[in-house]
Amino acid sequence: MYNVEIIGTGSYVPEHRVSNDDLAKFVDTSDQWIRERTGIIERRISLEENTTELAVKAAQRALEDAHIAPEEIDLLIVATVTPDYFFPSTACLIQQRIGAVKAVSFDISAACTGFIFGLSIAGQFLKTGMYRTALVLGAEVFSKIIDWEDRNTCVLFADGAGAAVLRRGAEGIISELIRSDGSGAGHLECPAVPLQNKFSACSTEKRPSYTLMNGREVFKFAVRIIPEYIEKVLTNTGYTLEDIKYIIPHQANTRIVAAAAKKLGVDQAKFYVNIQYYGNTSGASIPLALDEMSRQGLLQKGDLFIIVGFGAGLTYGAQLIRWTKG
Ligand code: ACO
C-alpha cells in the first residue's frame, strides 16, 4: 500500500455578504440570537454563480497551490448535496471546465461529511496504486435549498467551495474512519422531486425542495460524534491529543464546538473555527477552513491535525492527517 498526502488546497466563496441584521429584515430573528446560539456573524450567499462555478474557482486555486497541471488528475470527486443538475454530475462539469481530461469524475452525497468521505474514497484508490493524483472538492450553493421564511434553518446555511489535491507520496493521511446511520435520516433532510409519472396515483404529491432540520437532535448527535471520532482516529496510532496541533471540525455551530471540547477535555482554542464569517457551508466547510489555515501559515510541515465531520444521513467521520507541505 502507498501513502497519501495533501499537496495543495484551494477555496472560493461568493462575494455577497449577508449579515444577521440583513436576515432580521425578513424573518423574526436578531443579530444577538444568531451570534449567541450559533457564532455566525455573516455568511456569503451566491447571487449568480451556481455550485459548479464556485467549485471551478476552488479547484483552480488548489491546482495552482499544488503546482500541478489539470491533465495530471486521475480522479476527481465532488462532495455536494446542491448540484446544478441531477445529471450530469458536478464533477463531470468541473472536469470539462478545468481541463482535467484524464480524470474519472463523479459526485458523492454525504452532506456536511462529504469532504471527509471524498478524501477517504480518493485515498483508497491512491493507496492501492490504481491512481496517483486526485482532486477532492466540497462545494455547495446551499442557499437554493433553504426556505428563506424558516428562521430555524435560513440563519445557518451558506455557500462556498473548497478543494484539496491528494497524491501518492509521504504519509499524510495517517488514520481515518467514516460511518453512517440511516436511522437518523429524518433529522436533516431535503426532499427531491416527488414520485410522478403518467401511471402513478402519487402524481399530485407536492413537496418543496427545502432543508428541514431537527436542530436539537443534530446538536446532540454532533456533540456525541466529535469527541468519539477524534478519539477513534487516534487509537493505535501512537499519538495522543497533545500531539495534535489543530482540530478542524465541520463548521456548524460554535456551541457544538464548545461542548465537544469540554467533553474531550481540551482547550477550545485547539479547534479551528471560521463559522463567524461563512456560516455553515455543508460539504465545503472543512476544505474552506483547511485552505484558510494553509494560506495563513497556521500549518507547518510535520504538524498533525484532525478533521472531523457530521451531517445529514446521518453521516460522520474523521481523519488524522500530517501536513507534509513545506
Ligand atoms: N431567531 C430567533 N429565534 C429562533 C431562531 C432564530 N433564527 N431559530 C429558532 N428560534 C427560537 C425557537 O423557535 C425557540 O423558540 P421557543 O422556545 O419559543 O419555541 C427558541 O429559539 C429555542 O429554539 P431551539 O431550537 O431550542 O434553539 P437552540 O438553542 O437548540 O439552537 C440551533 C437552535 C442553532 C439550530 C441548534 O439546535 C443547532 O445548532 N443545531 C445543530 C444544527 C446543525 O448543525 N445543522 C447542520 C448539520 S450538518 C448538515 O448536514 C447540513
Side-chain angles (χ1 to χ4, degrees), residues 159-231:
D159 307 333
V165 180
L166 270 190
R167 187 165 254 187
R168 278 192 336 234
E171 191 191 32
I173 298 181
I174 295 171
S175 150
E176 60 187 333
L177 206 53
I178 54 172
R179 288 283 183 273
S180 57
D181 173 11
S183 72
H187 294 327
L188 193 52
E189 60 182 23
C190 177
V193 290
L195 171 64
Q196 53 183 1
N197 61 56
K198 200 163 174 55
F199 311 98
S200 166
C202 308
S203 57
T204 53
E205 187 191 0
K206 286 217 166 26
R207 292 190 303 173
S209 286
Y210 291 144
T211 300
L212 305 165
M213 184 182 72
N214 182 340
R216 281 188 192 175
E217 283 304 321
V218 176
F219 194 100
K220 281 192 282 179
F221 152 69
V223 172
R224 178 170 58 82
I225 286 302
I226 295 173
E228 192 178 318
Y229 277 73
I230 287 172
E231 280 172 353

Side-chain angles (χ1 to χ4, degrees), residues 49-254:
E49 301 158 306
N50 213 334
T51 304
T52 302
E53 270 98 52
L54 304 191
V56 163
K57 287 179 178 154
Q60 286 165 336
R61 290 176 182 178
L63 294 183
E64 203 177 298
D65 189 46
H67 303 292
I68 68 158
E71 298 81 20
E72 294 178 63
I73 303 168
D74 303 307
L75 173 64
L76 198 167
I77 299 178
V78 180
T80 186
V81 288
T82 53
D84 299 4
Y85 299 92
F86 280 140
F87 56 85
S89 69
T90 313
C92 285
L93 298 172
I94 296 166
Q95 168 181 25
Q96 196 274 330
R97 293 273 299 275
I98 66 172
V101 288
K102 293 187 190 142
V104 56
S105 311
F106 56 88
D107 290 1
I108 58 163
S109 169
C112 302
T113 325
F115 180 75
I116 288 181
F117 273 46
L119 218 52
S120 184
I121 294 166
Q124 309 313 307
F125 282 102
L126 270 53
K127 283 178 189 171
T128 59
M130 184 161 175
Y131 297 129
R132 179 160 181 259
T133 309
L135 176 63
V136 181
L137 290 121
E140 309 284 8
V141 175
F142 222 92
S143 58
K144 67 190 174 188
I145 57 162
I146 288 297
D147 175 357
W148 286 96
E149 287 171 10
D150 177 9
R151 68 177 182 175
N152 291 303
T153 51
C154 78
V155 303
L156 303 175
F157 295 100
D159 307 333
V165 180
L166 270 190
R167 187 165 254 187
R168 278 192 336 234
E171 191 191 32
I173 298 181
I174 295 171
S175 150
E176 60 187 333
L177 206 53
I178 54 172
R179 288 283 183 273
S180 57
D181 173 11
S183 72
H187 294 327
L188 193 52
E189 60 182 23
C190 177
V193 290
L195 171 64
Q196 53 183 1
N197 61 56
K198 200 163 174 55
F199 311 98
S200 166
C202 308
S203 57
T204 53
E205 187 191 0
K206 286 217 166 26
R207 292 190 303 173
S209 286
Y210 291 144
T211 300
L212 305 165
M213 184 182 72
N214 182 340
R216 281 188 192 175
E217 283 304 321
V218 176
F219 194 100
K220 281 192 282 179
F221 152 69
V223 172
R224 178 170 58 82
I225 286 302
I226 295 173
E228 192 178 318
Y229 277 73
I230 287 172
E231 280 172 353
K232 278 187 199 265
V233 288
L234 284 167
T235 307
N236 298 329
T237 60
Y239 297 114
T240 67
L241 265 175
E242 281 84 70
D243 301 313
I244 305 303
K245 187 161 181 198
Y246 286 107
I247 295 164
I248 310 172
H250 165 52
Q251 310 283 315
N253 185 319
T254 45

